[in-house]
């Protein structure tokens, strides 16, 4: 069985872009892969955070993931920091990573721009991500388009380590989703729906109430035409609504575009579809908020399973690099 691994940063409330662009495919993949899903709290430490808030966000992220359908019987859901090998392998890998390589990472350049207090952790973020992936010998890594460069680095590091020290890591393939991948901000349809957007009126959170969802969709930016059709370049706002409606109902956004004659009815149906998609998710989430002990136990068992796999890969890497004490003579 092939292995899939992906990660999510617990840095904000989970929204429809996370759900439709990522988590939905995680839920599908757990049926046919040995699957590992990691809440990457160590990555969250590289940016500003409040300890109390971070703890809450880690729990929230786990609850949303379980509510959209991750099943601990079918996949391994765990918190990155619970498996110490992530940080340990990061050190090994950072010793074969070029400073210049990391300096070329576009996400680092964007995030450190105009910021005098940029941390080393933000610089080495992609190496930690490589460790996340390589520890599990992942074949397939579902990520958004924005993570492609980090995955390319991961592949380079695996190939470099293997050729320098002997076969150790599997070289992973990225899996960039095509449908539902690009849910855009309702207020600014030129930008991806994002956790870090300051104005949340264009972002639909998985746990938003039905009336909030309705309000946000009603106020979504469209354009000055009145005709409905799917054309993301010319009509980004309307196309995004069609995309959302399509992803919620499983229909094709282009064909949906031909069914509507005005923006009002498109928005109404879109809000209804999103709300019926989210209703069962919210029910499950509420039940889990009332049973945090169960969530904690799932994460504890997940960490145990993850640790089994990670520690065996890490032991091999240790031996390959010549520092395994078991092999001292
Ligand atoms: N860097 C990824 C993001 O910001 C999150 C992530 C961390 C990840 N480790 C990973 C994704 C390993 C896939 C695999 O979205």
């Amino acid at each position: 069985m092939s292995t899939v691994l992906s990660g999510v940063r617990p840095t904000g409330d989970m929204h429809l872009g996370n759900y439709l662009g990522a988590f939905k495919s995680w839920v599908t993949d757990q049926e046919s892969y040995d699957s590992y899903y990691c809440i990457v709290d160590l990555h969250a430490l590289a940016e500003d955070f409040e300890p109390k808030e971070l703890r809450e966000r880690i729990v929230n992220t786990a609850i949303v993931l379980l509510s959209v359908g991750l099943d601990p019987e079918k996949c391994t859901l765990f918190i990155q920091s619970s498996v110490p090998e992530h940080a340990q392998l990061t050190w090994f890998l950072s010793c074969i990573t070029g400073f210049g390589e990391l300096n070329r990472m576009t996400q680092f350049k964007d995030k450190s721009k105009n910021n005098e207090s940029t941390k080393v952790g933000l610089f080495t973020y992609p190496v930690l991500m490589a460790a996340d992936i390589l520890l599990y010998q992942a074949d397939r890594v579902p990520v958004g388009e924005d993570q492609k460069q980090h995955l390319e680095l991961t592949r380079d590091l695996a190939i470099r380590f293997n050729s320098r020290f002997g076969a150790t890591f599997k070289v992973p393939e990225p899996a960039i989703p095509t449908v539902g991948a690009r849910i855009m901000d309702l207020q600014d349809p030129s930008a991806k729906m994002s956790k870090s957007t300051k104005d949340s009126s264009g972002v639909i959170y998985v746990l938003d109430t039905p009336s909030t969802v309705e309000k946000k969709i009603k106020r979504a930016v469209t354009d000055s035409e009145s005709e409905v059709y799917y054309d993301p370049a010319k009509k980004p706002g309307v196309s995004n609504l069609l995309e959302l409606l399509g992803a919620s109902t499983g229909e094709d956004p282009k064909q949906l575009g031909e069914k509507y004659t005005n923006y009002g009815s498109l928005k109404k149906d879109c809000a209804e579809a999103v709300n019926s998609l989210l209703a069962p998710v919210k029910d499950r989430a509420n039940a889990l908020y009332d049973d945090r002990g169960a969530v904690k136990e799932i994460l504890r068992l997940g960490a145990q399973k993850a640790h089994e796999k990670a520690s065996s890969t890490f032991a091999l890497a240790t031996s390959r690099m010549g520092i395994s004490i078991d092999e001292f003579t």
Side-chain angles (χ1 to χ4, degrees), residues 9 11 43-49 111 119 122 125:
R9 284 180 297 134
T11 46
H43 279 110
L45 302 183
E47 292 177 72
D48 293 339
F49 70 97
K111 289 195 177 181
K119 307 295 185 291
L122 196 63
Y125 178 112

Side-chain angles (χ1 to χ4, degrees), residues 5-9 40 43 125 129 132-133 141-143 147 150:
L5 177 133
S6 197
V8 57
R9 284 180 297 134
V40 295
H43 279 110
Y125 178 112
M129 178 163 163
D132 297 341
I133 296 166
V141 183
V143 282
Q147 297 297 310
H150 291 163

Side-chain angles (χ1 to χ4, degrees), residues 31 50 58-59 73 82 102 141 171 176 189 229 287 296 321:
E31 302 295 336
E50 279 306 322
I58 294 169
V59 177
E73 302 280 328
S82 311
L102 293 184
V141 183
V171 182
I176 316 253
Y229 57 96
K296 198 169 160 185
M321 291 185 109

Side-chain angles (χ1 to χ4, degrees), residues 97-281:
T97 307
F99 185 89
E101 263 177 320
L102 293 184
N103 225 2
R104 283 195 292 277
M105 293 289 136
T106 54
Q107 194 168 68
F108 174 72
K109 284 198 257 186
D110 288 346
K111 289 195 177 181
S112 61
K113 211 172 4 189
N114 308 325
N115 186 351
E116 293 210 348
S117 62
T118 299
K119 307 295 185 291
V120 174
L122 196 63
F123 188 64
T124 56
Y125 178 112
V127 186
L128 176 58
M129 178 163 163
D132 297 341
I133 296 166
L134 300 181
L135 277 176
Y136 298 90
Q137 307 288 11
D139 298 278
R140 170 185 160 86
V141 183
V143 282
E145 187 71 32
D146 61 327
Q147 297 297 310
K148 227 168 136 180
Q149 196 186 25
H150 291 163
L151 214 71
E152 206 43 57
L153 175 77
T154 305
R155 289 168 52 85
D156 289 345
L157 292 179
I159 293 167
R160 190 175 308 157
F161 191 103
N162 291 347
S163 65
R164 167 96 170 77
F165 301 111
T168 307
F169 300 120
K170 200 164 251 178
V171 182
E173 294 291 337
I176 316 253
T178 46
V179 251
R182 287 185 72 75
I183 299 295
M184 312 307 267
D185 190 287
L186 298 175
Q187 289 301 320
D188 173 13
S190 68
K192 248 173 85 166
M193 196 175 275
S194 156
K195 296 182 255 204
S196 42
T197 309
K198 283 194 185 69
D199 173 11
S200 66
S201 60
V203 181
I204 297 179
Y205 297 103
V206 173
L207 302 181
D208 271 347
T209 63
S211 66
T212 304
V213 169
E214 212 173 295
K215 250 184 247 147
K216 286 177 176 174
I217 291 180
K218 210 177 249 171
R219 287 182 198 153
V221 167
T222 51
D223 52 54
S224 56
E225 287 186 358
S226 57
E227 228 182 311
V228 178
Y229 57 96
Y230 184 80
D231 183 343
K234 222 177 130 204
K235 295 174 80 71
V238 170
S239 303
N240 189 39
L241 290 171
L242 289 166
E243 196 79 65
L244 257 180
L245 176 60
S248 303
T249 58
E251 286 168 89
D252 179 57
K254 228 188 209 139
Q255 281 174 6
L256 281 169
E258 292 159 13
K259 278 194 5 202
Y260 287 91
T261 52
N262 65 75
Y263 293 172
S265 57
L266 169 63
K267 284 183 167 178
K268 187 169 161 286
D269 284 6
C270 184
E272 262 170 36
V274 168
N275 274 329
S276 44
L277 175 78
L278 295 181
V281 176

Side-chain angles (χ1 to χ4, degrees), residues 22-42:
F23 305 160
K24 215 171 136 186
S25 82
W26 296 12
V27 172
T28 311
D29 282 349
Q30 69 180 346
E31 302 295 336
S32 44
Y33 291 89
D34 186 14
S35 37
Y36 294 87
Y37 299 121
C38 183
I39 299 172
V40 295
D41 57 346
L42 297 177

